[in-house]
Amino acid sequence: MGWEALEHWGADVAQVEPLAGGVANDVWSVRIDGRLAVGRLGFRSDADLAWETGLLRHLDREGLPVPVPIPARDGRLFADGLVVMAYVEGGPPETPADWRRVAGTLRELHRLTRGWPQRPGWRSSTDLLTAETGTRIDLRAMPPEAVARCRAAWAQLTGHQMSVVHGNPANPGNVRMTPDRVTLIDWDEAHVDIPDLDLVLPGNAAALDDGAYDLAAQASAAWEAAVCWDDEYSIRRLAEVRPV
């Protein structure tokens, strides 16, 4: 349907300007009844969007700052691939102290989502030890040697407790900070996986010990290589994963 779906949020609605939103979505600032918000239009299934918006509402109820979904006039949290969320003020993390605050927010996310169901159609890194596909990952498209390297990295995390992971918190553009709040935005890659994958942060801000940081960094590089295969970035990330 496209941006005509914004009409589900009422008559006093308008697109304002495009925002950075990655390759999978069209993201704009919008006005809803005079209030600034963010609209994200994509091609995810209703089940996928129900998982994401349900997660964000849960985290908001538990007191974790998130871009809260704004219901359409009929109460739906998404319509025709469009999700509208509250606009979040703030800037990116810049200092080691900022990144330590980000790590604290991520640990709270992980605590609040232990036992959370998997995002529909997604796989965790350890699921991919046997599965070949999951949403944006298709291991069949990778050379066998690359798959073996990725799986060897993920296998080191077998048996760890699972929770929701944000999926890309080390990107400063996915964090909005104020003096009293840290808000993670862009939950499009969130899914259930090993929490340490979220904690490979600049300067080891999460203070993982050397062994834990190395395992998480290897598994994270393998994940990004598989998700992005086969562009230049994915090849660089694969090069960071130790050969088997």
Side-chain angles (χ1 to χ4, degrees):
M1 182 175 183
W3 282 100
E4 296 87 351
L6 196 58
E7 297 173 358
H8 291 292
W9 276 260
D12 185 12
V13 297
Q15 290 175 257
V16 179
E17 61 180 355
L19 303 172
V23 299
N25 300 288
D26 191 14
V27 183
W28 283 65
S29 59
V30 299
R31 289 198 181 276
I32 308 291
D33 297 326
R35 177 175 50 163
L36 190 62
V38 174
R40 192 190 76 203
L41 181 66
F43 299 97
R44 290 285 174 84
S45 69
D46 284 357
D48 184 285
L49 295 178
W51 183 95
E52 181 182 348
T53 54
L55 169 68
L56 293 175
R57 295 188 79 185
H58 165 72
L59 295 173
D60 177 57
R61 288 192 298 266
E62 293 295 328
L64 192 75
V66 294
V68 181
I70 298 172
R73 287 297 176 90
D74 61 7
R76 287 183 292 171
L77 298 178
F78 53 89
D80 300 319
L82 178 64
V83 181
V84 177
M85 295 163 282
Y87 184 85
V88 178
E89 299 284 355
E94 297 176 341
T95 68
D98 288 345
W99 282 109
R100 287 193 292 272
R101 290 176 61 201
V102 174
T105 297
L106 288 164
R107 285 200 162 101
E108 183 66 1
L109 161 66
H110 303 153
R111 184 187 71 81
L112 291 171
T113 57
R114 291 171 189 153
W116 202 260
Q118 182 60 278
R119 191 170 193 153
W122 285 69
R123 306 280 190 180
S124 70
S125 54
T126 52
D127 288 336
L128 290 168
L129 296 177
T130 53
E132 294 188 315
T133 62
T135 309
R136 291 174 56 197
I137 289 179
D138 185 352
L139 297 181
R140 298 168 301 184
M142 300 179 73
E145 186 272 339
V147 174
R149 288 167 70 175
C150 290
R151 283 177 163 166
W154 298 329
Q156 298 301 309
L157 300 180
T158 301
H160 288 218
Q161 191 171 47
M162 307 280 274
S163 73
V164 171
V165 296
H166 174 273
N168 192 16
N171 178 353
N174 288 339
V175 184
R176 294 288 181 270
M177 303 191 69
T178 66
D180 60 351
R181 187 187 70 240
V182 176
T183 306
L184 300 167
I185 64 172
D186 193 358
W187 291 77
D188 192 51
E189 300 297 316
H191 62 285
V192 171
D193 216 317
I194 307 298
D196 280 4
L197 292 173
D198 263 351
L199 300 178
V200 184
L201 298 173
N204 191 17
L208 298 178
D209 65 46
D210 290 346
Y213 185 87
D214 178 69
L215 293 180
Q218 286 285 295
S220 178
W223 179 270
E224 292 192 5
V227 166
C228 300
W229 193 263
D230 60 351
D231 62 15
E232 290 184 6
Y233 177 76
S234 68
I235 293 169
R236 289 200 307 272
R237 293 297 273 158
L238 181 65
E240 298 173 28
V241 181
R242 283 188 288 270
V244 177

